[in-house]
């Protein structure tokens, strides 16, 4: 049975008025995209092919084809304050690093709080998205959906937001492993992994040292006879538990970001690698990679070094060949009587429901302006949210992307010409290739703070440090020295949230709250860190005052220019 949904009336060839928006996927990116549409007064319809929200974070015992999959023990490697949405803090009593079940509960609370569920159509798959014949004038799209019962519908939407992620299609490069057809045991991709049950007493080879490969090697080593971790290029491994037992994410501050702009990258790499090697020498552990620390996102794993030290995980180079139950490595060493091989070899990406002419390729990656908009379309009514890779969680980045997208859809932000966007995309590709180690499977990497600030500037919500220094010095200190949490992008401009300032001032309270499980006598804390921070704050303030003194513009004129515009 087929039904037909009537279109919204849209007039004008250059001034596109978007009202009805299709959001594809109800994971973390889809949820925040629905909310962003509502915030801008648009009418979203979210199509979710499964029976629940959460996307990747909805655990299922059996992996479903063409859908992201996680393992039973998965805990996110990003601090809760750095992964939450900007206007809805994670509850204070939730752990700092959350199990996937807690993350899904948070998504449910977010959806309930902002009343998003009524806009989601579950068990509805998007089969195709195509430009309408009058697309160059209206920017509209034909969308075909199908329910679980086979009920098919044709819709017309003014705009599309794709939120289907890039962990749906496992990359299983069997051709790169000569002799795999002779292997006498079992092999699978990490996408299929749910737990170590099949590893009890077995000899296991894990191929790939990304976060999944490291987690699987560690978990498997607790029950397996022996685990070998094979890596082609090695990796820098950092801990979630950093100095004084605090989350390592707290070091991702604006002050640190400023230092990264001022100091030579060679020095920063040396300093960071020295810090990591002081905890465990990466060369001695067989982990040292070919690339420098800040050229690729590091592996986050607190347990892997000890498993290596205890001998339960043995690090090996790339596999040369496989013969029966024997795995031969590039250095000539072997692993005998191997029972199981796990390919933690990443994912391919695809958007099978989109027309081919909507995809612009740039190098190894899909080229998107601001990593969101295809630069080659006649009208900017298609956006891809969440197709990004950085040193931070996807939730606040997707939220910022969605806010940017909906501002464009509503006409508050105009995009450059197609030629200018294509040029910007190509420049981004060159910049990424210059600064990071990229490949076909990992073609995209950005700096979290730089990217968030870039989008925030376009939206009009980037925190203005000088304005804060002049008008709210306590908040200035928190924004400069504290972690770059998403609350900072709700202090001013469109979408300003009255609770943002309080959320920033209480973010460390929420960090300590779940640790207060045993009452202790009050002890005097160290003042050393406070004094250092205070002196550096005055240095930064002095630099700002010196700048004002040297600038011929009067303070009153400067303040009037910096004052946030009311919206």
């Amino acid at each position: 049975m087929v039904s037909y949904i009537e279109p919204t009336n849209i007039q004008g060839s250059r001034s596109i008025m978007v009202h009805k928006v299709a959001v594809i996927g109800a994971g973390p990116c889809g949820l925040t995209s629905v909310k962003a549409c509502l915030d801008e007064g648009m009418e979203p319809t979210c199509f979710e092919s499964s029976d629940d929200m959460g996307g990747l974070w909805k655990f299922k015992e059996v992996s479903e084809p063409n859908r992201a999959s996680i393992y039973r023990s998965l805990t996110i490697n990003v601090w809760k304050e750095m992964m939450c949405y900007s206007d809805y803090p994670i509850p204070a009593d939730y752990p700092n690093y959350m199990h996937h079940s807690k993350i899904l509960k948070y998504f449910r609370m977010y959806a309930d709080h902002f009343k998003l569920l009524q806009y989601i159509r579950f068990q509805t798959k998007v089969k195709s998205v195509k430009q309408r014949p009058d697309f160059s004038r209206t920017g509209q799209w034909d969308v075909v959906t199908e329910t679980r019962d086979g009920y098919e519908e044709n819709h017309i939407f003014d705009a599309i937001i794709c939120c289907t992620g890039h962990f749906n299609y496992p990359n299983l490069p069997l051709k790169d492993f000569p002799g795999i057809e002779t292997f006498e045991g079992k092999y699978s991709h990490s996408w299929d992994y749910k737990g170590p049950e099949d590893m009890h007493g077995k000899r296991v080879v894990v191929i790939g040292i990304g976060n999944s490969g490291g987690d699987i090697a560690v978990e498997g080593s607790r029950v397996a006879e022996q685990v070998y971790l094979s890596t082609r290029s090695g990796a820098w491994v950092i801990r979630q538990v950093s100095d004084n037992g605090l989350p390592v994410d707290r070091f991702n501050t604006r002050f640190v970001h400023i230092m990264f702009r001022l100091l030579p990258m060679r020095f920063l790499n040396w300093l960071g690698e020295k810090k990591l090697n002081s905890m465990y020498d990466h060369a001695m552990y067989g982990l040292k990679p070919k690339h420098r620390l800040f050229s690729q996102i590091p592996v986050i794993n607190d347990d892997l070094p000890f498993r290596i030290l205890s001998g339960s995980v043995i690090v090996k180079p790339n596999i040369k060949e496989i013969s029966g139950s024997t795995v031969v490595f590039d250095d000539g060493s072997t692993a005998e009587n191997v029972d199981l091989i796990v390919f933690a070899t990443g994912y391919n990406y695809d958007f099978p429901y989109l027309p081919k002419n909507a995809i612009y390729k740039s190098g190894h990656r899909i080229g998107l302006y601001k990593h969101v908009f295809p630069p080659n379309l006649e009208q900017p009514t298609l956006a891809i949210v969440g197709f990004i890779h950085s040193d931070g969680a996807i939730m606040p980045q997707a939220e910022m992307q969605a806010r940017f997208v909906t501002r464009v859809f509503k006409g508050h932000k105009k995009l450059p010409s197609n030629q200018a966007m294509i040029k910007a995309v190509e420049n981004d590709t060159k910049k990424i290739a210059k600064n990071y180690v990229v490949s076909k499977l990992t073609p995209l990497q950005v700096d979290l703070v730089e990217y968030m600030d870039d989008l925030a500037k376009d939206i009009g919500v980037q925190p203005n440090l000088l304005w804060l220094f002049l008008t709210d010095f306590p908040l200035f200190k928190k924004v400069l020295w504290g972690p770059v949490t998403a609350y900072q992008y709700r202090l001013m401009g469109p979408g300003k949230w009255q609770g943002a300032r309080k959320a920033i001032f209480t973010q460390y309270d929420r960090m300590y709250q779940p640790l207060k499980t045993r009452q202790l006598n009050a002890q005097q804390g160290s003042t050393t860190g406070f004094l250092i921070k205070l002196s550096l704050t005055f240095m930064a303030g002095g630099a700002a005052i010196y700048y004002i003194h040297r600038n011929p513009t009067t303070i009153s004129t400067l303040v009037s220019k910096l004052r946030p515009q009311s919206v």
Side-chain angles (χ1 to χ4, degrees), residues 171-174 177 180 187-191 207 341-345:
N171 175 57
L172 196 61
L174 298 182
F177 297 89
I180 185 66
Y187 64 82
S188 62
H189 192 274
S190 58
W191 178 82
I207 302 173
I341 297 177
V342 179
F343 288 84
T345 45

Side-chain angles (χ1 to χ4, degrees), residues 187-258:
Y187 64 82
S188 62
H189 192 274
S190 58
W191 178 82
D192 291 302
Y193 178 82
K194 298 299 176 181
E197 295 80 11
D198 294 337
M199 296 183 177
H200 279 268
K202 302 292 180 61
R203 295 174 64 81
V204 181
V205 174
V206 178
I207 302 173
I209 198 174
N211 285 315
S212 295
D215 284 351
I216 293 170
V218 165
E219 189 169 52
S221 70
R222 296 190 175 102
V223 299
E225 177 186 327
Q226 184 63 63
V227 172
Y228 299 89
L229 180 57
S230 171
T231 172
R232 175 180 293 138
S233 57
W236 294 104
V237 180
I238 68 173
R239 301 182 304 179
Q240 291 164 281
V241 183
S242 68
D243 297 347
N244 300 313
L246 300 179
V248 69
D249 313 56
R250 69 191 177 92
F251 290 112
N252 201 347
T253 68
R254 289 195 175 276
F255 181 77
V256 169
H257 186 67
I258 292 171

